[in-house]
Amino acid sequence: MGSPPVPPTACALDFGDGSPPRTWPRGCPAQLAVRHVYERPGLYRAVLWATDAGGGEDLAAVELRVD
């Protein structure tokens, strides 16, 4: 049995369109509810990064098509 997961202490969401990322420097909410407007049509890659107190990092990404 491995050690239990360490909860994220900070996270950031990059929308992939050059706008500033949304950050949560004091811990990630259990559920994210974020609104963002893409100004131009195109294919974007949104990335959520999470960091834990031990220095571990992880990310999740999704590609979005905006018409």
Side-chain angles (χ1 to χ4, degrees), residues 3-26:
S3 49
V6 179
T9 56
C11 59
L13 178 58
D14 183 342
F15 298 99
D17 62 353
S19 64
R22 174 76 191 269
T23 60
W24 294 267
R26 295 193 174 133

Side-chain angles (χ1 to χ4, degrees), residues 25-50:
R26 295 193 174 133
C28 301
Q31 294 183 347
L32 297 177
V34 178
R35 292 190 97 179
H36 182 73
V37 175
Y38 288 90
E39 298 293 329
R40 298 172 195 222
L43 186 62
Y44 299 94
R45 185 173 189 251
V47 180
L48 175 67
W49 282 277

